[in-house]
Amino acid sequence: AIVKVAIPSVVYAPVISVVGPPVVDPCSPLYFYATGTSPRDLKYKWTCSNDNTLDRALRNLPLSPSVSLQAGTPEMTTSDKTYIISVTAIDFFGMSSEPKTLLIRKQSSPAPTFVFSPSSMLIFRNQELVVSGEAQFSECPIPRDALIYSWRQTSGPSRDVIRTALSAAASPQIYFP
């Protein structure tokens, strides 16, 4: 018996998002990934629009949702440069997602980065809030001195309670009553 499988009458393009760090230093590995929603398996195509060496390396990778570059990121040959990395997901019908872009700057010197935990949150008026984070040090063989934390507000309405909490914070955690 011959069974003919037809394309569905309505075919939706995959929807994806991309996650990765904004910065990598000259000694650390780099990991970034995409996630997609589709009823079908997806293949991911990665590119770099502003660097031929990284673009070739990304195009030669398996069509995977994640990219892992070894310590030192030798595929990123220029320091103090922001690389423009894009990903597109394709399902087996050939439907492509809109490309998503990730900007990653390769630093020329190691510096700790600060990661918020959780990365975002929702609170309501009159709720207490604790914002905390963690310093992540470079893989470079440098001294890991004690850190001094300084907080500042970069957007939103300024209130006395915020100014007071920010001025009193000298740790990786800040409390807003």
Side-chain angles (χ1 to χ4, degrees):
I2 297 175
V3 176
K4 184 176 181 181
V5 178
I7 294 178
S9 58
V10 177
V11 180
Y12 296 100
V15 176
I16 62 171
S17 61
V18 64
V19 177
V23 176
V24 64
D25 69 43
C27 305
S28 297
L30 176 61
Y31 176 78
F32 49 93
Y33 64 94
T35 58
T37 57
S38 173
R40 296 168 271 289
D41 288 338
L42 297 173
K43 295 182 185 213
Y44 295 83
K45 291 185 178 181
W46 296 91
T47 61
C48 179
S49 62
N50 67 335
D51 188 85
N52 291 334
T53 303
L54 181 57
D55 187 56
R56 273 191 305 279
L58 293 173
R59 288 177 187 270
N60 287 327
L61 293 174
L63 301 175
S64 166
S66 62
V67 174
S68 183
L69 303 179
Q70 68 184 1
T73 57
E75 301 86 352
M76 300 170 86
T77 58
T78 307
S79 294
D80 292 326
K81 176 178 180 175
T82 299
Y83 291 81
I84 304 169
I85 299 168
S86 297
V87 61
T88 304
I90 302 164
D91 68 15
F92 75 94
F93 288 124
M95 295 296 296
S96 293
S97 68
E98 290 292 320
K100 293 294 180 177
T101 302
L102 184 63
L103 303 177
I104 301 177
R105 180 169 182 77
K106 182 171 184 177
Q107 293 178 259
S108 61
S109 60
T113 56
F114 191 77
V115 179
F116 289 97
S117 178
S119 59
S120 66
M121 62 185 74
L122 176 65
I123 64 164
F124 297 98
R125 187 180 304 258
N126 298 325
Q127 277 187 295
E128 294 181 349
L129 170 65
V130 176
V131 177
S132 52
E134 178 183 6
Q136 294 181 342
F137 287 92
S138 165
E139 298 290 325
C140 293
I142 59 170
R144 295 184 179 195
D145 298 329
L147 298 176
I148 299 170
Y149 295 90
S150 174
W151 295 84
R152 66 185 168 95
Q153 180 180 354
T154 59
S155 66
S158 182
R159 306 269 192 259
D160 287 338
V161 68
I162 294 173
R163 282 191 293 275
T164 302
L166 292 175
S167 66
S171 73
Q173 183 171 313
I174 188 168
Y175 169 75
F176 296 97

